[in-house]
Amino acid sequence: MTIGGVEALDRHYDSFQGSWSVVDRSADYGRLVVPHGNSEEPLYRWFHLKEAFSSRLLDRLLGELNLATGPDLSLADPFAGSGTTLVSGVSTCERGGGEAQVFGVERNPFIWELAQAKLQARILGSSLSGVVFEELEQLKSAYAGARIERFSIPALSTLRNEQYFSSEHVQTLMRIRYSIEAVANPAVASIFRICLASCVEPASRLRRDGRALRFEASREPKDPWSLFLQRVELIRQDLTATKPASGEGEVVLGDARDMALLAGNRTFDLILFSPPYPNNIDYTEIYKVEAWVLGCYGTEVEMKTQRQLTIRSHPSVRFARNYGYLETGFKSDVQSLIDPIVAQVPVGDRYHEGRKEVITGYADDMLKVLVDSRKVIRENGRLVFVVGNSLHGSGDAKYVIAADVIMARLAELCGWRVSEIKIARMLKRRFGQSPFLRESLVVLEPI
């Protein structure tokens, strides 16, 4: 039996989803909404992004959506992440004898470069393999001649903590970064930077765990230069085995809330994305060390600025209380959707204001993404998003933020029809009585 706010919110969410088709598809999608199999797949294995979904998800969806596109596909992902959607789209069309036109948007500068490097590598394929070998020789020469006084150590305190990183390893990481400047080919230079980023965590006593970096005293750090050369060889092998594709693609560094502006004249058959979940995870923080090593931030102020540009899914910083929905005709509908959720935030909670801002800000941000996506979808296109719901609070003051229901209802307000909610998996928590503790795929059609 559920308790308190959880029970009240279950009834609230039921009042919306009662008119939708909600089906248990855990047998088909449970392993596809997580990065199952990616660590063994060429290109996808370049950097482990725990929050990614499987490279096989797109093929499964396309088999069910019946998009009338033939072998070609115009595909977009406004939350490109590590590029799984875009790379998968190019590969799927290549296998079917068609051509993909893919477009992605990513806000995090390090993750943006990861997606762009993988996408260009997928399109160019084996034509890059020999160039990687040649450019590596240039990099080795630059590395051999690099002098420590030429480069500075980033100001991030994590990189200056000898418990986490030895000074020797930090110097080696920076020596590699500056040596990459000798690489003339931009696509290869970007690949080398991703190789460097993949060395950061194993060169330390830190382990990425959920929403934080954990210190493990027993962990034995590995030599960054040896790791780097191993990663380059792995990537060269992947490129050698990858057939060049005839498709085109781009990932822009920008904001999903500006999707229509960034897409320009493009329109899409399918928009597939997984936004940040409203679960208090701050991705700027989780991937900060890689970003600092690559030079994405030069000061703490720059990193804080990046945080404040992100989707309002976490209370790590105080976001501006600018809510665009208040100036739209959706105001009363949005309020009736989110007010009962906001009302369940415990008053005595020290994160009270931040938790309320997450609920309101997340709904406002997702509405903007859905409005913009509606502007660039083709007449017979589809939008599919993957999102997980989350449990907040403690004791008897727990409440669930059902992001799938919230986003589906917001979609109805701005020109979409909810075709289906596919429940991919139920989420296990210490308190797990609510049927809304789940991860879902929501399928939308334009109306």
Side-chain angles (χ1 to χ4, degrees):
M1 179 177 179
T2 54
I3 57 176
V6 175
E7 186 177 46
L9 285 182
D10 283 354
R11 292 194 298 269
H12 178 62
Y13 296 138
D14 265 326
S15 71
F16 294 107
Q17 79 163 23
S19 61
W20 305 327
S21 171
V22 181
V23 293
D24 182 356
R25 296 295 303 277
S26 54
D28 301 314
Y29 285 98
R31 303 180 81 182
L32 299 181
V33 295
V34 294
H36 176 70
N38 289 10
S39 59
E40 290 82 42
E41 289 280 340
L43 278 76
Y44 301 97
R45 62 182 177 177
W46 288 8
F47 187 92
H48 177 64
L49 210 71
K50 181 177 178 290
E51 300 77 22
F53 47 69
S54 172
S55 63
R56 302 161 196 173
L57 175 64
L58 178 63
D59 280 349
R60 179 78 199 204
L61 276 173
L62 289 175
E64 296 184 357
L65 293 177
N66 297 318
L67 293 171
T69 63
D72 298 334
L73 181 68
S74 179
L75 173 68
D77 185 343
F79 295 94
S82 61
T84 301
T85 297
L86 309 178
V87 174
S88 299
V90 173
S91 296
T92 295
C93 288
E94 182 67 26
R95 288 193 298 270
E99 183 173 299
Q101 304 291 325
V102 300
F103 175 74
V105 178
E106 176 53 46
R107 176 72 271 173
N108 185 291
F110 156 59
I111 299 176
W112 164 78
E113 185 160 18
L114 171 62
Q116 179 72 351
K118 287 167 60 178
L119 177 59
Q120 294 308 311
R122 178 59 195 91
I123 293 171
L124 297 172
S126 56
S127 66
L128 273 181
S129 181
V131 185
V132 167
F133 181 80
E134 294 169 3
E135 293 284 20
L136 180 60
E137 296 307 305
Q138 287 294 112
L139 186 149
K140 286 180 178 178
S141 177
Y143 181 83
R147 299 172 61 86
I148 190 171
E149 59 268 21
R150 179 173 174 265
F151 48 83
S152 59
I153 303 302
L156 181 67
S157 60
T158 306
L159 286 167
R160 298 188 174 211
N161 187 323
E162 283 282 345
Q163 283 190 307
Y164 303 158
F165 288 88
S166 71
S167 57
E168 180 183 358
H169 280 182
V170 174
Q171 289 168 6
T172 301
L173 290 167
M174 301 311 299
R175 189 175 173 187
I176 297 170
R177 172 184 148 190
Y178 284 93
S179 298
I180 293 173
E181 294 177 0
V183 175
N185 185 293
V188 175
S190 192
I191 287 172
F192 286 164
R193 283 168 58 81
I194 299 311
C195 290
L196 171 58
S198 73
C199 300
V200 172
E201 185 180 349
S204 74
R205 288 193 171 89
L206 298 175
R207 179 175 61 85
R208 196 173 288 109
D209 177 25
R211 66 187 62 180
L213 295 170
R214 308 290 183 189
F215 171 63
E216 295 186 347
S218 61
R219 184 174 178 134
E220 188 60 39
K222 298 180 181 179
D223 173 57
W225 179 240
S226 299
L227 285 170
F228 177 79
L229 296 177
Q230 291 169 14
R231 298 300 293 179
V232 172
E233 177 55 25
L234 176 73
I235 287 177
R236 192 188 65 79
Q237 291 173 11
D238 286 357
L239 290 171
T240 301
T242 301
K243 179 183 176 183
S246 56
E248 296 181 356
E250 178 188 11
V251 189
V252 300
L253 179 62
D255 197 313
R257 292 163 290 194
D258 298 326
M259 178 67 178
L261 175 65
L262 296 172
N265 295 323
R266 299 177 179 92
T267 57
F268 307 101
D269 303 306
L270 175 63
I271 301 174
L272 171 60
F273 66 85
S274 183
Y277 300 174
N279 54 8
N280 296 341
I281 294 179
D282 178 0
Y283 296 104
T284 306
E285 173 69 18
I286 290 176
Y287 297 102
K288 68 179 180 181
V289 186
E290 289 83 0
W292 278 83
V293 167
L294 294 184
C296 299
Y297 316 128
T299 66
E300 292 283 354
V301 171
E302 289 179 8
M303 191 173 84
K304 183 178 180 181
T305 299
Q306 163 63 24
R307 273 179 160 162
Q308 292 175 325
L309 291 172
T310 59
I311 294 295
R312 288 172 281 186
S313 63
H314 61 87
S316 299
V317 293
R318 299 305 296 270
F319 292 97
R321 296 188 180 186
N322 298 326
Y323 303 122
Y325 79 87
L326 295 173
E327 307 301 322
T328 72
F330 311 136
K331 177 181 175 180
S332 62
D333 291 304
V334 174
Q335 293 286 180
S336 66
L337 171 64
I338 64 174
D339 282 354
I341 312 171
V342 172
Q344 295 300 330
V345 178
V347 175
D349 189 330
R350 62 179 174 142
Y351 299 112
H352 177 72
E353 291 301 317
R355 292 185 191 275
K356 290 198 302 182
E357 288 175 9
V358 164
I359 296 166
T360 307
Y362 190 80
D364 191 58
D365 289 343
M366 291 300 104
L367 178 63
K368 182 65 169 69
V369 172
L370 291 162
V371 167
D372 262 39
S373 295
R374 182 63 184 83
K375 295 174 183 176
V376 296
I377 197 71
R378 293 179 178 171
E379 182 179 354
N380 296 313
R382 298 288 187 277
L383 184 150
V384 181
F385 61 82
V386 181
V387 72
N389 302 340
S390 51
L391 181 69
H392 297 259
S394 59
D396 292 336
K398 297 184 180 74
Y399 60 98
V400 174
I401 299 180
D404 57 355
V405 175
I406 293 169
M407 291 180 63
R409 176 57 184 149
L410 293 172
E412 287 186 321
L413 300 178
C414 59
W416 297 98
R417 183 178 77 84
V418 179
S419 175
E420 186 177 48
I421 295 182
K422 305 173 190 284
I423 300 175
R425 61 183 185 137
M426 300 305 294
L427 303 176
K428 296 180 180 179
R429 296 290 187 268
R430 285 176 293 175
F431 172 81
Q433 299 300 311
S434 173
F436 291 96
L437 273 175
R438 66 195 187 195
E439 193 165 14
S440 308
L441 296 95
V442 180
V443 183
L444 306 176
E445 301 176 7
I447 55 175

